[in-house]
Amino acid sequence: MRNRLEAVRKRFAEIEEELSSPDIGSDIKRLTDLSKERASLEKTNEDYAAYRKLESDLRDIDGNNDPELADLMKDERKKIGAQLEEMEKNFESELIPQDPNDKKNIIVEIRGAVGGDEANLFAGDLERMYVRYAESQGWKVKYIDSEEGAAGGYSYVSFMIKGENVYSKLKFESGAHRVQRVPKTEASGRIHTSTATVLVMPEAEEVDVKINPSDLKIDTYRSQGAGGQNVNKTESAVRITHIPTGIVVSCQTEKAQLQNKEICMQMIRAKVHDFYQSKIDEARSSERKLKVGTGERSEKIRTYNYPQNRVTDHRIGFTVNTLDRVMEGELEPIVEALIHYDQEQRLLEMK
């Protein structure tokens, strides 16, 4: 631990020196990266400085041989020892490598998968769950695009969630979500199993991913409402295709074509970044037996069992019997369990 703390102190000093260079302003990406890294190390660096000060105080106490102060020094030594022990425990979690995307906003895509109309209804239920959770956290939700299901819900819906540390909370939601319940359309009362897929992507800035304009195919069309009716008579809706990856995004939520194009570009950056990051993650996957939140659409990560009012996250074996409240946005127990598990795994990998 001492070696890692010294490495943090040394790296923080190097960053401070580089940020003070008069030339740093000419390289915006480097300036941004260094500023983010500095922010991620600042607390640990300050805590380690306080830790070293306490160690120095303890050495001074041990070097004091005044018999009249012996009892006072004994109490002070005990107090400082307890402080050092507590700080060492905190350092364990602070030294876990931070995900550089944790503080970012996110783009969420939900699709009805296996189960026809019932899958689309469940996709709608998941959309409502995440929106309720976002509202409870004080985050803002902005819809990007959607395709309603014939019986309700969504065959596809995408939206952005903006706020503090959004990705750090919801990054483990990617994967296939399974529901077990009696569909509204089922006359015999039999329990059906359906699935919907969720994809959570951190918002990507221009400095995070470079996209060549010549790699984009941009189409405009008239926004469509329910039943195929025209929402407006101008071609304000935008569809962008990233030719190298085949990724396609569209947006028709804004009245102005320029605004829809800006939202599409945010989507393209996020999805292209996610595409290439997934390739890197796949190459590293063998290094970690259980990687939470890989984003693989075939990975069934959670089951929502309505008859038993139960939600189970299969990756960590975590179960709560409060499905009714979870679907109302009370996701915090599951979110915290996933974060805690991930931190435990990271600590084990560091030892």
Side-chain angles (χ1 to χ4, degrees):
M1 185 181 72
R2 174 77 66 172
N3 290 339
R4 294 200 298 271
L5 288 168
E6 282 295 334
V8 168
R9 185 168 73 91
K10 181 180 178 182
R11 179 58 186 155
F12 191 84
E14 290 172 350
I15 293 171
E16 291 273 77
E17 183 178 353
E18 191 168 351
L19 285 173
S20 64
S21 167
D23 300 326
I24 191 65
S26 61
D27 189 343
I28 300 301
K29 186 178 188 309
R30 182 62 178 162
L31 175 61
T32 302
D33 291 344
L34 285 173
S35 298
K36 288 180 180 178
E37 188 179 359
R38 183 191 183 282
S40 70
L41 298 177
E42 186 172 16
K43 185 179 185 304
T44 302
N45 185 66
E46 290 178 354
D47 289 347
Y48 184 43
Y51 181 86
R52 295 201 317 277
K53 175 64 169 60
L54 285 173
E55 286 186 316
S56 176
D57 292 344
L58 192 60
R59 286 193 295 271
D60 291 341
I61 290 172
D62 290 338
N64 191 321
N65 298 317
D66 189 338
E68 294 182 5
L69 298 175
D71 289 341
L72 180 63
M73 292 297 100
K74 183 179 180 180
D75 291 341
E76 191 65 17
R77 184 184 293 107
K78 186 177 180 181
K79 178 183 175 182
I80 291 176
Q83 287 178 293
L84 289 172
E85 187 176 342
E86 182 64 25
M87 292 181 80
E88 286 166 5
K89 290 179 182 178
N90 292 334
F91 281 138
E92 282 192 352
S93 59
E94 285 184 26
L95 289 170
I96 298 173
Q98 296 299 305
D99 187 331
N101 294 319
D102 274 353
K103 296 183 182 297
K104 291 185 177 181
N105 301 322
I106 63 172
I107 293 172
V108 182
E109 285 188 354
I110 305 174
R111 296 177 185 270
V114 179
D117 288 340
E118 172 63 9
N120 293 341
L121 289 168
F122 181 49
D125 293 336
L126 291 176
E127 173 267 337
R128 182 175 180 273
M129 177 185 76
Y130 289 125
V131 169
R132 288 289 183 92
Y133 179 67
E135 290 170 348
S136 74
Q137 299 293 308
W139 300 335
K140 294 182 179 179
V141 176
K142 183 178 181 63
Y143 286 87
I144 297 170
D145 198 10
S146 65
E147 295 175 9
E148 294 183 1
Y154 295 100
S155 60
Y156 167 77
V157 61
S158 62
F159 50 92
M160 179 176 288
I161 302 180
K162 296 184 175 184
E164 186 176 353
N165 298 320
V166 181
Y167 186 73
S168 70
K169 290 266 192 172
L170 292 178
K171 62 183 175 182
F172 303 125
E173 294 302 302
S174 291
H177 294 240
R178 181 172 63 178
V179 63
Q180 294 173 329
R181 64 185 178 187
V182 179
K184 294 177 182 178
T185 55
E186 175 59 52
S188 63
R190 291 185 299 115
I191 294 174
H192 283 221
T193 298
S194 304
T195 60
T197 60
V198 176
L199 179 61
V200 175
M201 298 169 286
E203 184 181 15
E205 304 294 337
E206 289 187 43
V207 295
D208 296 324
V209 55
K210 294 294 183 183
I211 295 179
N212 191 330
S214 64
D215 288 338
L216 301 178
K217 180 176 180 290
I218 302 175
D219 300 305
T220 58
Y221 58 98
R222 292 182 180 181
S223 296
Q224 299 292 309
Q229 296 176 349
N230 290 333
V231 174
N232 57 56
K233 296 182 179 180
T234 62
E235 294 192 341
S236 61
V238 177
R239 181 187 300 110
I240 298 180
T241 304
H242 183 249
I243 298 169
T245 60
I247 291 170
V248 181
V249 301
S250 59
C251 181
Q252 57 179 353
T253 56
E254 304 298 327
K255 292 181 179 180
Q257 185 185 111
L258 182 61
Q259 290 175 304
N260 284 326
K261 183 179 178 182
E262 288 175 354
I263 293 172
C264 276
M265 285 305 300
Q266 286 180 309
M267 286 279 287
I268 279 289
R269 283 196 295 269
K271 298 195 81 167
V272 169
H273 184 269
D274 181 72
F275 177 86
Y276 289 115
Q277 186 61 49
S278 295
K279 298 292 184 185
I280 296 172
D281 290 343
E282 285 173 13
R284 295 174 178 170
S285 62
S286 60
E287 299 173 12
R288 197 165 175 183
K289 291 182 180 178
L290 177 57
K291 185 173 182 224
V292 202
T294 60
E296 291 295 327
R297 292 180 183 270
S298 60
E299 178 192 7
K300 291 182 177 64
I301 64 168
R302 193 174 299 152
T303 294
Y304 303 73
N305 185 297
Y306 275 72
Q308 298 181 24
N309 199 38
R310 184 181 67 219
V311 182
T312 299
D313 194 289
H314 304 294
R315 296 165 295 182
I316 60 175
F318 181 79
T319 296
V320 290
N321 293 299
T322 55
L323 181 144
D324 52 339
R325 298 207 295 270
V326 169
M327 299 312 292
E328 290 298 319
E330 294 187 23
L331 267 174
E332 197 65 16
I334 300 174
V335 167
E336 289 299 324
L338 286 163
I339 291 173
H340 180 68
Y341 179 84
D342 184 61
Q343 289 178 340
E344 285 184 337
Q345 295 303 300
R346 289 173 180 269
L347 278 172
L348 288 174
E349 289 173 3
M350 289 167 57
K351 292 179 180 179

